[in-house]
Amino acid sequence: MDLFFETMANQGVRTAIERYADENLTWWSAGAGNVEDRIGEFMDEFGAQVSGAVELTVGAKTCEGDRAAVEVTLHAELTEGRIYHNNFHFLFEFRNGVIVKIAEYHDTHHAYETIGPTLRKVGFVDA
């Protein structure tokens, strides 16, 4: 899982998915539903709002069978001076050594308050 997040932080979510996920990946995100068809666009839009580096910190990991649970903290200063700091829980499911499903949980209220326009632009939430 470290390589997935390291690749996502340094080369983008599209590259991480290409390298480590099945072509039929399902990615569910709290408050947005299935986002596998929009996650790349969202990360591009989010990245355009960041004034410096995105700090992605991988915390506790628990693996059992074909599943892995990972805690992640994301911190970024946005161009308007606001701070986006959110804690995530990712549940990964694997098949044949590749990721087939991601369930992403985070503080949706904080996300709506800090990056709501971006969430609406890519269809993660209703306008």
Side-chain angles (χ1 to χ4, degrees):
M1 298 318 332
D2 290 334
L3 288 175
F4 177 84
F5 287 110
E6 183 179 316
T7 302
M8 189 167 84
N10 295 321
Q11 299 174 34
V13 70
R14 287 183 182 96
T15 301
I17 290 170
E18 287 172 9
R19 285 191 187 161
Y20 304 108
D22 185 81
E23 63 184 23
N24 295 313
L25 171 72
T26 300
W27 187 319
W28 177 90
S29 180
N34 286 358
V35 297
E36 59 274 355
D37 60 335
R38 297 167 283 162
I39 192 68
E41 179 186 4
F42 166 73
M43 292 302 285
D44 290 346
E45 293 290 335
F46 176 76
Q49 294 181 56
V50 176
S51 61
V54 173
E55 298 171 31
L56 194 64
T57 306
V58 177
K61 295 173 270 201
T62 304
C63 301
E64 183 177 307
D66 62 354
R67 301 171 89 180
V70 183
E71 294 177 346
V72 175
T73 300
L74 188 148
H75 180 90
E77 185 173 332
L78 304 179
T79 53
E80 316 83 44
R82 292 180 295 144
I83 300 295
Y84 182 76
H85 183 91
N86 213 332
N87 296 306
F88 294 80
H89 174 271
F90 289 91
L91 179 61
F92 292 86
E93 291 186 26
F94 298 88
R95 188 174 309 121
N96 300 321
V98 297
I99 303 165
V100 294
K101 184 176 181 183
I102 300 172
E104 170 193 337
Y105 302 86
H106 57 276
D107 180 351
T108 56
H109 179 74
H110 176 67
Y112 297 151
E113 291 294 313
T114 54
I115 58 171
T118 298
L119 295 170
R120 286 186 288 282
K121 182 175 182 179
V122 297
F124 273 28
V125 294
D126 294 332

